[in-house]
């Protein structure tokens, strides 16, 4: 053992021998001494943080009983070759302890294994045949003991594998007690080439555990089927998933490529993902949905999905709903738009067939075949939902007899946004004109969450953080004669001139003064005399801090907004995000 840890309780057991190492760096040598104590036995090397349960040792020994095996690793939720987060997946951290996870590995993956290049982790089983292998001196080198034994096994033509039926927990915090380079305990052996095949097999093993854990949930699951674009459909899916979170678990099914779909959990704490190639894996997908307790499908769109996705409800024997987010059921172009992007008058006149000849569509179907296929699919749904009567009427006209429920999208009440002050600088913003000051003020606003945004009405002489990294946007260059009109369109609350050198005149200041807007400027150069006696002006030292500049901007900006009786916080927020 190393210098950390208390093993006094083991010292009283006659079967236990304790080998002391002066420091944690000497742990490998101490392990070597321990290995030499019993030359006829296999060895299980465990880090101090290893948490084992059940008949873990018997399972490891069963894998090592094969004469071709030299080293056997395990799955772990900490650093190791085969990693599985014990808190991930649906209801995982609530319903499963590490012992429960190990029990699942033992039951679901009984006897399964994957050969790898190196086995590392909180627990590694080393067969005596690997330790005793006679190897050339050049093949033996110093290093982490488990990595070294994996190397020895490969040199001796012995298999290095991960037991898929053993899970050993660990503790990242214990790294500090081990000393040395933390990277030495990393997932992979640097001396071994990456093995994508092994990774795929390991992922398959953890996928089996994911399915078992999800099946253990007491709540039914719903699968949302859609494209992978995001946008309004994804927002709707996320909103509905949030609404039903107490009563059901939600999974998403979307296209990964032309013939592959991805089933995954959208919850941030989950890492469940599974891929299926359609139509070949359609039955496997159906069985997987059944195994994890899916009670219903909800189809939101078909873009990018293989045509066989329409067979999933029947193959899985599951009821399904369809929400019409656009007109995909009657228009292969989805939006009733012509080739120019405008409303398609051919649809109004019933001449859609001509459009189908001229424009490509998914699944290589003409408009008539498309509409027949999707119409039959919608008629088989338990519910067809439209967010507005207009959508329902347009779809029903082309799909007669289809019953459509009109349900507006669920939306939570939106609180009125706080009044946002808009600070505008004029002209080319260079470091001499205060580029660094504006950047510092924007960062101070972001850090403190102040209700203020910055707009550079002009260009910048150097890159500067912009939205969404900072509450700042840049208009870009303009014709000088257009500045008054552009400034009027900005609806600024305060104009900002944080010059860092003494200005000799500043034509942009003339435009600012003519606007009648409040001005905050450096008390430097021509600014001092030109702004003397002007109302709603604040002059600050050129080297004022960002917090001081922002305090002045907030003070005069709020006074102006109050005098003008303006309350356009929504517009201000949109301006900041544009």
């Amino acid at each position: 053992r190393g210098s950390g840890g208390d093993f006094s309780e083991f010292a009283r057991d006659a079967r236990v021998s304790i080998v002391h190492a002066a420091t944690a760096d000497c742990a490998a040598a101490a392990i070597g001494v321990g290995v030499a104590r019993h030359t006829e036995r296999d060895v299980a090397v465990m880090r101090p943080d290893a948490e084992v349960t059940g008949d873990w040792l018997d399972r490891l020994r069963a894998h090592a009983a094969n004469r071709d095996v030299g080293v056997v690793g395990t799955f772990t939720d900490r650093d190791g070759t085969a990693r599985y987060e014990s808190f991930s997946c649906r209801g995982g951290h609530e319903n499963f302890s590490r012992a429960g996870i190990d029990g699942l590995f033992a039951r679901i993956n009984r006897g399964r294994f994957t050969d790898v290049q190196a086995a590392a982790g909180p627990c590694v089983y080393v067969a005596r045949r690997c330790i005793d292998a006679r190897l050339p001196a050049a093949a033996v080198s110093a290093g982490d003991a488990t990595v070294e034994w994996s190397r020895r096994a490969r040199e001796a033509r012995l298999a290095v594998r991960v037991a898929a039926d053993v899970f050993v927990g660990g503790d990242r915090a214990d790294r500090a007690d081990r000393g040395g380079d933390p990277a030495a305990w990393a997932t992979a052996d640097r001396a071994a080439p990456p093995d994508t095949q092994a990774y795929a097999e390991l992922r398959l093993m953890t996928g089996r555990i994911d399915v078992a854990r999800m099946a253990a949930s007491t709540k039914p699951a719903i699968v949302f089927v859609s494209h992978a674009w995001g946008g309004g459909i994804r927002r709707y899916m996320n909103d509905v998933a949030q609404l039903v979170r107490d009563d059901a678990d939600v999974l998403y099914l979307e296209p990964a490529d032309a013939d592959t779909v991805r089933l995954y959990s959208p919850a941030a704490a989950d890492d469940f993902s599974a891929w299926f190639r359609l139509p070949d894996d359609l039955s496997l997908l159906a069985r997987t949905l059944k195994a994890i307790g899916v009670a219903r499908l909800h189809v939101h769109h078909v873009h990018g999905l293989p045509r066989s996705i329409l067979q999933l409800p029947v193959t899985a024997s599951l009821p399904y709903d369809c929400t019409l987010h656009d007109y995909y059921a009657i228009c292969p172009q989805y939006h009733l738009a012509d080739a120019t992007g405008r409303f398609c008058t051919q649809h109004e006149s019933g001449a859609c067939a001509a459009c189908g000849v001229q424009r490509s569509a998914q699944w290589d179907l003409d408009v008539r075949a498309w509409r027949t296929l999707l119409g039959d699919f919608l008629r088989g749904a338990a519910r067809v939902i439209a967010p507005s009567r207009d959508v329902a009427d347009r779809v029903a006209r082309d799909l007669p007899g289809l019953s459509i429920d009109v349900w507006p999208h669920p939306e939570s009440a939106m609180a009125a946004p706080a009044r946002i002050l808009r600070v505008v600088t004029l002209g080319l913003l260079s470091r001499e004109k205060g580029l660094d000051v504006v950047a510092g003020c924007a960062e101070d606003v972001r850090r403190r969450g102040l209700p203020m945004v910055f707009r550079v009405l002009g260009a910048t002489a150097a890159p500067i953080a912009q939205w969404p990294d900072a509450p700042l946007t840049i208009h870009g260059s303009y014709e000088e004669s257009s500045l008054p009109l552009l400034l009027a369109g900005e609806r600024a609350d305060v104009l900002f001139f944080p010059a860092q050198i003494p200005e000799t005149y500043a034509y942009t200041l003339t435009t600012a003064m003519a606007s009648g807007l409040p001005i905050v400027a450096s008390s430097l150069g021509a600014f001092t005399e030109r702004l003397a006696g002007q109302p709603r002006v604040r002059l600050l030292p050129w080297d004022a801090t960002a917090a001081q500049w922002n305090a002045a901007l907030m003070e005069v900006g709020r006074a102006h907004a109050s005098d003008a009786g303006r309350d356009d916080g929504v517009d201000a927020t949109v301006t900041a995000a544009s």
Side-chain angles (χ1 to χ4, degrees):
R1 70 179 184 89
S3 57
D6 180 10
F7 298 113
S8 57
E9 60 178 293
F10 296 109
R12 294 188 292 270
D13 191 326
R15 299 171 298 174
V16 175
S17 298
I18 297 179
V19 179
H20 292 272
T23 66
D25 293 331
C26 300
I31 290 172
V33 173
V35 168
R37 289 286 179 92
H38 301 281
T39 58
E40 76 286 0
R41 299 185 181 221
D42 294 347
V43 174
V45 180
M46 301 171 63
R47 295 203 303 241
D49 60 313
E51 181 181 328
V52 294
T53 60
D55 59 345
W56 63 277
L57 189 56
D58 292 334
R59 282 174 269 152
L60 285 177
R61 185 182 179 189
H63 287 280
N66 187 317
R67 292 181 177 275
D68 295 328
V69 175
V71 176
V72 184
T74 74
F75 277 88
T76 180
D77 57 356
R78 293 299 182 253
D79 294 334
T81 300
R83 186 164 166 176
Y84 184 81
E85 296 285 4
S86 61
F87 57 81
S88 68
C89 205
R90 190 173 71 162
H93 66 287
E94 298 172 354
N95 301 328
F96 288 93
S97 63
R98 281 174 168 167
I101 295 298
D102 179 54
L104 279 182
F105 272 88
R107 177 170 59 87
I108 302 300
N109 289 334
R110 173 68 67 181
R112 297 177 182 269
F113 62 86
T114 299
D115 286 341
V116 295
Q117 291 293 319
C123 177
V124 174
Y125 189 102
V126 185
R128 178 57 60 172
R129 66 182 69 93
C130 177
I131 300 171
D132 292 343
R134 296 182 178 274
L135 301 175
V140 181
S141 62
D144 176 70
T146 56
V147 173
E148 172 61 21
W149 277 319
S150 293
R151 186 182 292 110
R152 287 178 64 89
R154 293 198 307 271
E155 291 287 342
R157 300 183 182 277
L158 295 171
V160 180
R161 62 185 40 168
V162 170
D165 53 2
V166 183
F167 174 84
V168 176
D171 184 2
R172 280 197 186 102
D174 190 63
R175 273 191 210 160
D177 295 334
R178 289 186 232 129
D181 179 10
W185 298 85
T187 297
D189 175 9
R190 299 185 191 92
D195 190 339
T196 55
Q197 178 62 33
Y199 174 81
E201 292 178 3
L202 292 172
R203 188 64 190 89
L204 180 61
M205 300 301 180
T206 59
R208 294 166 61 87
I209 303 302
D210 285 341
V211 170
R213 295 177 70 179
M214 297 180 75
S217 173
T218 57
K219 294 185 288 186
I222 303 172
V223 172
F224 288 175
V225 181
S226 184
H227 57 52
W229 279 347
I233 292 180
R234 183 55 52 86
R235 173 177 173 178
Y236 174 85
M237 290 163 58
N238 292 342
D239 287 346
V240 174
Q242 182 70 10
L243 284 174
V244 303
R245 69 186 185 279
D246 293 334
D247 302 308
D249 296 302
V250 175
L251 298 175
Y252 290 177
L253 184 68
E254 65 184 31
D257 59 33
D259 59 357
T260 304
V261 296
R262 177 191 177 211
L263 177 69
Y264 70 99
S265 169
D270 294 355
D271 64 355
F272 170 71
S273 289
W275 286 262
F276 303 86
R277 193 174 298 278
L278 301 184
D280 295 347
D281 293 340
L282 184 63
S283 295
L284 175 61
L285 172 57
R287 292 197 304 271
T288 301
L289 299 184
K290 287 299 220 180
I292 60 182
V294 173
R296 198 175 198 89
L297 303 175
H298 192 150
V299 179
H300 298 272
H301 214 284
V302 297
H303 177 75
L305 290 163
R307 179 172 169 175
S308 55
I309 197 68
L310 300 182
Q311 303 170 25
L312 181 59
V314 173
T315 305
S317 300
L318 289 172
Y320 63 100
D321 303 318
C322 293
T323 293
L324 303 174
H325 297 276
D326 56 28
Y327 305 95
Y328 78 85
I330 59 174
C331 175
Q333 308 303 326
Y334 306 147
H335 303 294
L336 301 182
D338 63 17
T340 67
R342 304 181 69 187
F343 179 62
C344 182
T345 56
Q346 288 181 333
H347 174 262
E348 291 291 281
S349 64
C352 293
C355 174
V357 172
Q358 299 168 4
R359 302 166 69 190
S360 61
Q362 183 169 293
W363 302 340
D364 194 26
L365 298 172
D366 61 25
V367 173
R368 182 173 299 176
W370 175 276
R371 198 168 289 169
T372 299
L373 178 67
L374 271 299
D376 289 344
F377 183 74
L378 261 62
R379 290 186 181 94
R383 292 174 295 199
V384 178
I385 303 162
S388 68
R389 174 53 56 188
D390 185 76
V391 176
D393 290 345
R394 291 183 190 276
V395 172
R397 190 188 71 176
D398 289 315
L399 299 178
L402 179 65
S403 176
I404 303 176
D405 295 323
V406 178
W407 296 354
H409 289 339
E411 292 187 88
S412 57
M414 296 181 63
R419 176 74 174 94
I420 304 293
L421 297 178
R422 280 175 287 196
V423 180
V424 177
T425 65
L426 306 182
L428 175 65
L429 189 60
S430 63
R431 299 190 72 178
E432 294 79 9
K433 301 283 187 178
L435 176 69
D436 295 337
V437 174
V438 174
C441 289
E443 171 58 23
D444 181 59
V445 166
R446 184 202 65 76
R447 181 175 53 82
R448 292 197 285 154
L450 301 177
M452 187 158 56
V453 295
F454 292 83
R455 175 73 162 168
V456 178
L457 189 49
T460 60
I464 187 173
Q466 301 181 55
W467 186 272
D469 299 319
L472 182 148
T473 57
I474 300 173
H475 175 278
S477 300
Y478 57 82
E479 291 291 335
E480 184 177 354
S481 60
S482 65
L483 180 57
L485 181 61
L486 292 174
L487 178 57
E490 291 295 330
R491 300 184 70 193
D493 293 305
V494 57
L495 303 181
F496 193 20
F497 292 86
Q500 298 297 285
I501 46 90
E503 291 274 15
T504 58
Y505 187 75
Y507 283 111
T508 52
L509 184 61
T510 302
T511 302
M513 294 167 64
S515 72
L517 292 168
I519 296 172
V520 173
S522 303
S523 57
L524 192 64
F527 287 170
T528 303
E529 57 190 273
R530 293 198 66 196
L531 292 172
Q534 293 289 325
R536 293 187 294 186
V537 168
R538 285 287 304 274
L539 297 177
L540 271 68
W542 64 271
D543 58 352
T545 65
Q548 291 170 333
W549 283 116
N550 283 336
L553 292 167
M554 291 285 289
E555 181 183 347
V556 298
R558 280 175 170 164
H560 169 70
S562 177
D563 292 344
R566 284 168 50 186
D567 187 11
D568 52 357
V570 173
D571 289 342
T573 303
V574 173
T575 299
S578 63

